[in-house]
Amino acid sequence: MTDLLYSETEDDLRAAVRSLVAARGDTAALAARAEAGSPYDPRLWASLAAEMGAAGLLVPEKLGGQGASHREAAVVLEELGRGVVAAPYLTSSVVATQALLSLDTDTEAVATLLAELAEGRRTAVLAVPLSAAPDGPLPEGTGRVTGVADAATADVLLVLRADGLYAVEAAQAVVEPLTPLDLTRPLAAVTAGEGGTRLADAVAGATAVRSGLLAGAGLLASEQLGIAEWCLEETVRHTGERHQFNRPVGSFQALKHRMAQLWLEVVSARAAARAAADALATGSPEAALSVAVAQAYCSRVAVHAAEECVQLHGGIGMTWEHPAHLYLKRAKADEIALGTPGRHKEALAALVDLQAP
């Protein structure tokens, strides 16, 4: 394991993404767009993916990317979590990109699509349910797949069929928008049918899909860390400014204990998320173990932090105007994304040969 502290380059990247999100990631506007059914801000995505080059962090330079690693992508996701940004970064720039990188990148179709994703000119998603775990069952065939995240806005769908993995233009598939709990990460049902460009045979395709899901689960922990950090900081700020009986609400011991406990959980979540990102970046043989630990822990921390944020804000935390509900819904949706905490605990037990009593 390498140093888990943030490097100077990662700090610079964080500052750039945070500045962009602060300038264009207005949560009131996001809530309005989400309610209208189109949560994405195309200008923000263009700045993040193309101008900043964040979409190509995982892609080697020879294929048109930035040649960075999962650690840098994790920093981007931390900031996108802090701003509860609606953007297809996790699904396209991490999961789909990682799946393509696991294939033969000398193949023209794979290399061309990777270059397009790295430049932010197109987005792609795996046609699997958002809840699909890295070691869980995968859809195969031409049937309808429900709960596919970001499929409604994707340009390309990566479809696993019985005879291989295909890249299917979204226009050639039937994509039916669904109503998700988290309006900032749209879901859809996808029926890809026949056609498309075959990228790999069935075995290589399934392996690539699982690689994409593993990277997605590992880096999702960083998004969850960002959610938890914002919720804690916003709660501490609010309870320090809100007064009752001529005292800041946050000075009451019962509330201080709750926020202190949450701080401990956030610190631990940061260690788990960083370990998963580093294991993926270095190709560690314990990557699956680190990812399972991170997902089993960070999912619960994000939900706990969001719940505390809503409750400790009192009445205003229950309103539509305050962004706390956006964070709670994202945290709850992330809790079942790419495998539930229970599923990852089972995976962890199997990896360390811990038998159930």
Side-chain angles (χ1 to χ4, degrees):
M1 179 183 293
T2 55
D3 190 350
L4 297 186
L5 297 177
Y6 297 102
S7 68
E8 185 176 343
T9 301
E10 290 166 350
D11 284 336
D12 290 343
L13 176 61
R14 175 192 306 287
V17 177
R18 185 172 296 188
S19 176
L20 173 65
V21 172
R24 301 187 183 177
D26 178 58
T27 52
L30 169 60
R33 290 197 304 272
E35 193 173 20
S38 54
Y40 294 158
D41 180 349
R43 295 180 307 158
L44 189 152
W45 175 250
S47 297
L48 176 71
E51 297 171 16
M52 193 175 292
L57 287 175
L58 296 183
V59 181
E61 292 182 13
K62 66 179 183 179
L63 296 173
Q66 305 301 317
S69 75
H70 300 77
R71 289 176 59 119
E72 287 78 11
V75 170
V76 174
L77 278 167
E78 283 183 34
E79 294 306 309
L80 299 185
R82 282 182 65 92
V84 70
V85 173
Y89 192 81
L90 176 70
T91 51
S92 180
S93 304
V94 175
V95 177
T97 296
Q98 179 67 52
L100 291 170
L101 287 170
S102 302
L103 301 174
D104 180 5
T105 55
D106 289 332
T107 305
E108 182 179 356
V110 175
T112 301
L113 184 52
L114 272 172
E116 292 173 342
L117 299 186
E119 294 171 0
R121 289 190 284 120
R122 309 184 85 195
T123 61
V125 299
L126 288 183
V128 300
L130 179 60
S131 59
D135 63 342
L138 301 175
E140 289 184 6
T142 57
R144 185 172 180 264
V145 181
T146 61
V148 181
D150 296 330
T153 58
D155 299 299
V156 179
L157 305 169
L158 301 182
V159 181
L160 185 62
R161 296 177 182 145
D163 63 338
L165 181 66
Y166 287 78
V168 179
E169 294 293 323
Q172 297 177 342
V174 178
V175 180
E176 309 164 60
L178 304 175
T179 302
L181 168 66
D182 173 18
L183 295 175
T184 64
R185 180 164 283 155
L187 302 179
V190 172
T191 307
E194 303 290 344
T197 303
R198 189 169 183 259
L199 302 176
D201 61 28
V203 174
T207 301
V209 169
R210 293 194 184 283
S211 175
L213 295 176
L214 182 67
L219 299 195
L220 177 63
S222 292
E223 178 179 291
Q224 292 163 326
L225 169 62
I227 292 171
E229 285 182 334
W230 183 90
C231 290
L232 174 59
E233 292 173 11
E234 179 63 18
T235 302
V236 171
R237 184 199 63 77
H238 175 78
T239 56
E241 295 177 353
R242 178 76 172 171
H243 282 65
Q244 190 176 50
F245 309 122
N246 291 323
R247 292 175 55 188
V249 172
S251 68
F252 293 107
Q253 190 174 42
L255 299 193
K256 285 196 291 187
H257 283 180
R258 288 169 66 172
M259 288 183 280
Q261 175 60 38
L262 193 54
W263 182 84
L264 291 172
E265 293 178 15
V266 170
V267 171
S268 300
R270 181 179 299 113
R274 292 292 293 170
D278 183 74
L280 290 166
T282 58
S284 169
E286 295 188 348
L289 181 68
S290 297
V291 169
V293 170
Q295 268 305 301
Y297 189 76
C298 295
S299 295
R300 296 282 168 78
V301 173
V303 171
H304 184 209
E307 289 174 343
E308 290 287 68
C309 182
V310 170
Q311 291 179 21
L312 296 185
H313 271 75
I316 193 174
M318 305 292 178
T319 64
W320 181 261
E321 287 73 18
H322 195 280
H325 70 94
L326 295 174
Y327 287 85
L328 179 58
K329 291 168 184 171
R330 175 68 70 88
K332 291 295 292 183
D334 280 359
E335 189 179 25
I336 61 171
L338 301 167
T340 64
R343 176 86 190 189
H344 286 285
K345 286 181 180 177
E346 291 177 358
L348 177 60
L351 288 169
V352 299
D353 196 24
L354 181 63
Q355 303 298 324

